[in-house]
Amino acid sequence: MSGRTDVLIVGGGIVGAACAAACAQAGLTVALVEADLAVGMDATAAGMGQIVAMDGSPAELALTRYSQRLWDDLARSLPEDCEYERCGTLWIAADDDEMEEAARKATRYHEHALQAELLEQRDLYALEPALRPGLAGGLCVPGDSILYAPRAAAALLAEAERHGARALFGCRVRALHEGEVELDDGARMAARTVVLATGARAAELIPELPIRPRTGHLVITERYPALVRHQLVELGYVKSAHGTDADSVAFNLQPRPTGQLLIGSSRQYGRADPAVDRVIVARMLKRAIAYLPVLHGLDALRVWTGQRAATLDGLPYIGPCPGRAWLFVAAGHEGLGITAALATARLLSDHLLGRAPEIAPEPYSPARAWLETVVRA
Amino acid sequence: MPERIALHVNGRHVEVDRGSTVLAALAVAGVAICRRSVQGEPRGALCGIGVCFECRVTIDGVAHRRSCQILCREAMEVRTDG
Amino acid sequence: MAERRTEVLVIGAGPAGLAAAAAAAACGRRVLLVDDNADPGGQIWRGEGRAHLAVPARFEVRCGVRVVDACGASAVLAESAGGVERLTFDRLVLATGARERFLPFPGWTLPNVVGAGGLQAMVKGGVPIAGKRVVIAGSGPLLLAVAAYLRSRGARSLLIAEQTGRLRLARFVLGLAGAPQRLRQTLELRRALAGVPLLTDAWPLSAHGAGRLEEIRLRTRRGERGERCDLLACGFGLVPNTELAALLGCRVEAGCVAVDEHQATSVAGVYAAGEMTGIGGLDLSRIEGEIAGYAAGGDERKARAGLGPRRRARRFARALERAFALREELRELPDARTLLCRCEDVSVGRAARYPSWRAAKLHTRCGMGACQGRICGAAAAFLFGWRCEHARPPASPARIATLAAQHEV
């Protein structure tokens, strides 16, 4: 290979793979290095594989809505094994308070020109008859979709490779320097721009980034086709302890295209250990059974954990590091790595090529991290 | 003479000795195919000891039961998707 | 959730588990032996396990109880027809046995291609065999035992295809001269099989049929041949069941649960015995079970009495392993389209694109189905040299209600 690499991406999860594809398509020379032996093996594979519009903040909604549109455009050309399916999300309101939240949520979605339909009790049961009786209603967001994320990451990397990108696996990067990175074996790779896309591990290479691993547990069942048709999320999710530092669970379930049900979710800080915490799994499943009683007698095949990359304000870090224009961060997406991967990649390629971005990039700037660090100090 | 048990396999009346597995009832009924694989291939029992899950059938409306591990009970309703 | 407390819990009621339970009970301990099958006996004594219980048994046996996960320290989570329970113990003896190794070849997923030990278990469970034409293929002494059993149950014609070489087999039988009892057993078995062809250096190449097995192709010393049959019973040796031990945190080395002199695993208070610690057959399993049972029961002197016999039984196990080592050619049996994972229908060719078991799992879902990789993992380990270990709960598919009950602890 002649000349210098324009962009070296550290991390081969879905965010890194998307960044590689966007940069290579834009005509930049791209290299990607990943510590594991294949693409999408960490949080990408551990998560639920959802592409959802989330309205935790205006910036979150802008990013996820933008990225969702990019996914919709890409969906037609995704290989079949990505199992892309536009199943929509049903936000479930258990009581009148949650119905009010559903209405506020609908308004926010409509302001961003997103389809969202308020459901009365009767509408909810018409869509999902297996839900427990006595729920108040909900909100249907038909544009949300799911996919099998490791394959989507592989498809993105394959696209990058078609445009000349190189990927190196089994290479751990131990240090970042201006113009090059240093691998574990001491070898160095030169590049004009280095992109850090190592998710929950980002702080290992940029200690100033306040990214903390936030463990989640998931359970997958045997195949029970047509039992549930939409992704189901409790509106209590919003007011659950997911917003605090405490361990928390909330009902979130997906009907996978295989006919299996994927059941979440839990959030825990301070567990570096990938071992399964049986007690939080039990809490999570109890909550799931409370919403979908039929789960009680179904068979679970497997329980696993994954590490989300959580930031202080719930928004990812996407942009150049202050004072280090050669270093671009694309990490800290927490539960929205799959959703936001394409928008993240586009913001990166826009930045490198000097194109005007479609959404304002400032809310995602890593400069927040340095400000927050100063404030905390 | 061992006691006989009557049950239904895909709606058909079958009799087996008490202590027989559901898989035995399938064999007596001439059913070799327990299930269709995810690509639609016919599959029958393989390991015989509850490990491989190839012999899954629906018993009394409950899906994914291992026919090699479950003993026949009177009036059981067994369905295969062969 | 119901809770049961016992001094020594034994999981698995095969020869090792039964021996362990008897030994621990002889130390004066309160012992509970559980097994997920309908009856005790394990695979080898399927249907006759009650005969191997001392009468009156000095320990409690409960069948139809499936241990699916750890449940805090010193307890496991079990489900049965009656619901969920937590079994609490001071000492635990694992005796979860082994399963057959299946190797993929074109047609191996056809109905009526079954396990060798598997077919024996099916027939013991009432599957009619009388008048059937059966080819028994694979490797190991189990093939002969299965053939003799099927013959006694009226199978019409039988053929045994043993992959190992004639010379190696002869050397093994000669080696039995030092163990007259084993030699006698072997010769008796061979006599019981008079008239049944035993081909060495022979293995199945493919299976054919419309919707179910009709014919197979065999590779023999004289070249390829076809054989029409009703059943092909295959077993290429045994694979230790280490999944539950791994979930409990026990160290697993080279596919076997690692144990010390007293069958203690790497987890304090947890012992393991029998095939799960290394394939060695009935005698070794019983000896190991006894050592584990006495050790768990607190009688070190009696436990040590088993060390000599165990050394001799292990020597025999090593000889068996050498005699029936799988030949390289078997790696070439599947073509790229042959399925590796039968739960998720993943072909050998697709899995082969990945550098590791984990990568193949995450990208193709092989090993992610109901059997949790128990069948394809052992095959992939042989075909690709991957380390195919499973350490995700539950140990076998479990009701969601069962996993939800752990919250009550």
Side-chain angles (χ1 to χ4, degrees):
Chain A
M1 184 151 172
S2 63
R4 191 156 128 160
T5 304
D6 291 322
V7 188
L8 191 150
I9 295 156
V10 182
I14 198 159
V15 172
C19 288
C23 293
Q25 280 170 335
L28 299 167
T29 52
V30 176
L32 180 148
V33 288
E34 162 58 41
D36 212 322
L37 297 179
V39 65
M41 298 275 281
D42 205 343
T44 299
M48 294 185 88
Q50 54 197 356
I51 301 169
V52 289
M54 290 293 271
D55 59 342
S57 65
E60 185 179 74
L61 190 50
L63 182 71
T64 53
R65 191 217 177 306
Y66 174 42
S67 207
Q68 194 172 55
R69 228 179 53 226
L70 296 172
W71 277 112
D72 287 343
D73 294 343
L74 184 65
R76 264 159 295 161
S77 57
L78 280 178
E80 205 174 313
D81 65 2
C82 296
E83 296 174 358
Y84 175 89
E85 194 167 280
R86 210 162 156 167
C87 61
T89 300
L90 286 193
W91 291 87
I92 301 164
D95 52 31
D96 291 345
D97 279 357
E98 290 182 9
M99 264 321 270
E100 282 172 28
E101 175 56 24
R104 284 191 294 273
K105 206 172 172 65
T107 308
R108 290 193 292 270
Y109 282 8
H110 293 154
E111 281 166 6
H112 280 77
L114 267 159
Q115 251 185 296
E117 189 193 343
L118 269 178
L119 304 174
E120 291 185 20
Q121 193 178 51
R122 195 183 37 190
D123 309 327
L124 180 70
Y125 292 112
L127 290 176
E128 295 294 354
L131 284 169
R132 78 145 195 265
L135 296 166
L139 179 72
C140 179
V141 183
D144 286 354
S145 45
I146 57 175
L147 46 62
Y148 191 63
R151 295 313 300 155
L156 288 164
L157 185 62
E159 173 66 9
E161 286 173 326
R162 268 194 295 282
H163 288 87
R166 295 175 301 147
L168 279 141
F169 291 100
C171 296
R172 186 177 291 280
V173 170
R174 71 176 180 207
L176 311 174
H177 307 291
E178 180 157 8
E180 65 182 16
V181 304
E182 193 181 317
L183 304 181
D184 249 0
D185 63 2
R188 286 163 183 260
M189 292 176 71
R192 248 186 282 278
T193 300
V194 174
V195 177
L196 185 67
T198 51
R201 299 173 188 276
E204 289 171 12
L205 291 170
I206 307 182
E208 295 91 336
L209 286 177
I211 291 179
R212 286 191 293 168
R214 198 172 189 190
T215 302
H217 285 77
L218 288 173
V219 175
I220 190 127
T221 68
E222 258 283 13
R223 286 167 156 83
Y224 300 100
L227 196 62
V228 173
R229 293 188 166 77
H230 301 78
Q231 166 163 248
L232 304 177
V233 191
E234 62 165 301
L235 268 163
Y237 190 90
V238 181
K239 60 184 183 191
S240 80
H242 276 12
T244 74
D245 268 14
D247 289 1
S248 64
V249 298
F251 173 55
N252 183 184
L253 178 144
Q254 288 177 354
R256 300 301 302 181
T258 55
Q260 293 171 286
L261 302 173
L262 182 55
I263 309 168
S265 62
S266 73
R267 283 169 201 257
Q268 292 169 288
Y269 282 118
R271 285 186 86 248
D273 184 357
V276 168
D277 175 343
R278 271 79 172 181
V279 173
I280 202 151
V281 168
R283 277 177 60 194
M284 185 175 100
L285 291 175
K286 274 220 154 78
R287 188 135 192 110
I289 293 168
Y291 276 90
L292 200 69
V294 65
L295 287 177
H296 187 269
L298 305 188
D299 281 340
L301 293 188
R302 197 166 50 256
V303 184
W304 70 92
T305 62
Q307 303 277 339
R308 304 179 186 90
T311 63
L312 296 174
D313 57 7
L315 286 175
Y317 296 119
I318 309 168
C321 274
R324 284 184 275 179
W326 55 273
L327 180 55
F328 194 99
V329 183
H333 294 77
E334 193 157 351
L336 296 170
I338 313 301
T339 299
L342 296 187
T344 301
R346 192 64 74 85
L347 288 173
L348 164 67
S349 62
D350 288 345
H351 170 79
L352 293 177
L353 296 171
R355 293 186 305 220
E358 278 191 48
I359 60 169
E362 292 77 14
Y364 322 107
S365 167
R368 280 155 37 236
W370 275 262
L371 287 175
E372 284 155 354
T373 310
V374 170
V375 170
R376 276 186 302 162
Chain B
M1 279 295 279
E3 190 192 339
R4 299 288 278 175
I5 288 179
L7 66 160
H8 289 99
V9 173
N10 295 334
R12 212 189 114 185
H13 177 92
V14 177
E15 283 188 18
V16 295
D17 288 347
R18 176 171 291 282
S20 297
T21 59
V22 171
L23 182 67
L26 297 184
V28 168
V31 175
I33 301 170
C34 296
R35 67 179 196 108
R36 292 277 163 182
S37 77
V38 299
Q39 290 177 343
E41 284 186 6
R43 295 288 168 76
L46 175 70
C47 80
I49 61 170
V51 170
C52 76
F53 286 77
E54 285 287 28
C55 69
R56 278 172 285 168
V57 297
T58 299
I59 299 178
D60 294 332
V62 182
H64 306 301
R65 300 292 92 186
R66 284 168 287 176
S67 62
C68 77
Q69 289 296 89
I70 295 173
L71 300 187
C72 291
R73 286 188 313 271
E74 193 67 35
M76 217 177 211
E77 293 284 344
V78 182
R79 294 237 153 240
T80 66
D81 33 273
Chain C
M1 177 168 53
E3 171 137 9
R4 269 296 305 272
R5 187 163 258 297
T6 187
E7 287 176 323
V8 177
L9 175 67
V10 182
I11 301 174
L18 285 165
C27 300
R29 303 293 167 195
R30 201 148 40 82
V31 178
L32 172 63
L33 171 62
V34 296
D35 193 287
D36 60 347
N37 289 284
D39 280 302
Q43 300 316 327
I44 192 160
W45 292 333
R46 182 175 277 261
E48 49 181 280
R50 300 262 168 212
H52 295 273
L53 288 173
V55 180
R58 282 177 298 169
F59 50 87
E60 187 188 352
V61 188
R62 287 181 53 208
C63 287
V65 176
R66 182 157 58 241
V67 174
V68 296
D69 199 1
C71 191
S74 299
V76 292
L77 186 71
E79 69 177 32
S80 61
V84 194
E85 58 194 324
R86 175 179 151 98
L87 307 175
T88 306
F89 52 81
D90 299 328
R91 296 268 193 279
L92 172 65
V93 181
L94 296 168
T96 53
R99 56 183 179 266
E100 282 184 282
R101 180 184 287 106
F102 298 104
L103 298 182
F105 52 85
W108 78 298
T109 56
L110 270 178
N112 289 348
V113 178
V114 297
L119 182 57
Q120 181 168 7
M122 291 176 206
V123 173
K124 286 183 174 179
V127 169
I129 194 71
K132 297 277 203 277
R133 300 163 301 171
V134 188
V135 175
I136 300 168
S139 201
L142 179 68
L143 303 186
L144 300 186
V146 170
Y149 175 78
L150 296 180
R151 177 176 243 200
S152 76
R153 301 301 302 264
R156 188 172 78 192
S157 71
L158 291 162
L159 170 69
I160 303 170
E162 165 61 60
Q163 60 89 36
T164 206
R166 199 159 55 158
L167 277 175
R168 262 208 280 182
L169 199 58
R171 220 176 290 136
F172 173 71
V173 175
L174 284 175
L176 293 181
Q181 198 197 336
R182 289 189 195 281
L183 184 61
R184 198 166 52 245
Q185 282 168 359
T186 306
L187 295 177
E188 273 168 20
L189 195 55
R190 193 66 191 101
R191 246 196 313 280
L193 288 170
V196 173
L198 167 61
L199 308 179
T200 56
D201 305 274
W203 57 88
L205 292 170
S206 57
H208 308 270
R212 69 167 77 181
L213 179 71
E214 291 163 13
E215 186 177 13
I216 62 166
R217 303 287 305 165
L218 276 178
R219 190 272 184 201
T220 72
R221 293 157 61 87
R222 298 214 178 97
E224 262 187 66
R225 70 184 242 199
E227 191 75 35
R228 296 194 68 79
C229 55
D230 302 305
L231 289 152
L232 169 60
C234 292
F236 292 87
L238 299 175
V239 184
N241 289 327
T242 60
E243 290 76 10
L244 182 61
L247 277 185
L248 292 166
C250 303
R251 201 171 70 241
V252 176
E253 279 171 6
C256 304
V257 175
V259 288
D260 72 2
E261 198 181 41
H262 293 122
Q263 303 293 136
T265 69
S266 62
V267 176
V270 178
Y271 299 78
E275 306 287 45
M276 65 185 302
T277 66
I279 303 305
L282 174 61
D283 292 344
L284 181 58
S285 289
R286 297 170 83 168
I287 296 164
E288 288 184 357
E290 208 165 272
I291 295 171
Y294 283 126
D299 192 334
E300 195 177 320
R301 196 181 53 80
K302 280 195 171 151
R304 297 195 70 81
L307 302 190
R310 186 181 61 190
R311 207 160 32 241
R312 287 186 290 280
R314 280 192 179 157
R315 211 174 301 137
F316 176 68
R318 279 195 298 275
L320 264 178
E321 194 185 319
R322 275 194 302 274
F324 296 101
L326 296 182
R327 56 172 73 227
E328 290 293 315
E329 292 102 307
L330 298 174
R331 290 199 173 87
E332 310 303 322
L333 281 182
D335 62 38
R337 286 166 312 160
T338 306
L339 292 186
L340 171 66
C341 170
R342 303 167 62 117
C343 296
E344 297 289 331
D345 282 0
V346 179
S347 68
V348 170
R350 265 180 75 204
R353 283 181 220 150
Y354 296 90
S356 69
W357 173 237
R358 209 170 80 82
K361 279 174 80 167
L362 294 178
H363 282 277
T364 69
R365 272 207 291 265
C366 84
M368 304 270 258
C371 92
Q372 298 164 313
R374 281 174 171 76
I375 304 299
C376 64
F382 176 71
L383 293 177
F384 306 125
W386 291 339
R387 279 188 55 215
C388 302
E389 280 156 19
H390 164 96
R392 299 231 190 260
S396 67
R399 284 190 294 270
I400 289 178
T402 300
L403 301 181
Q406 296 187 78
H407 185 35
E408 294 160 18
V409 174

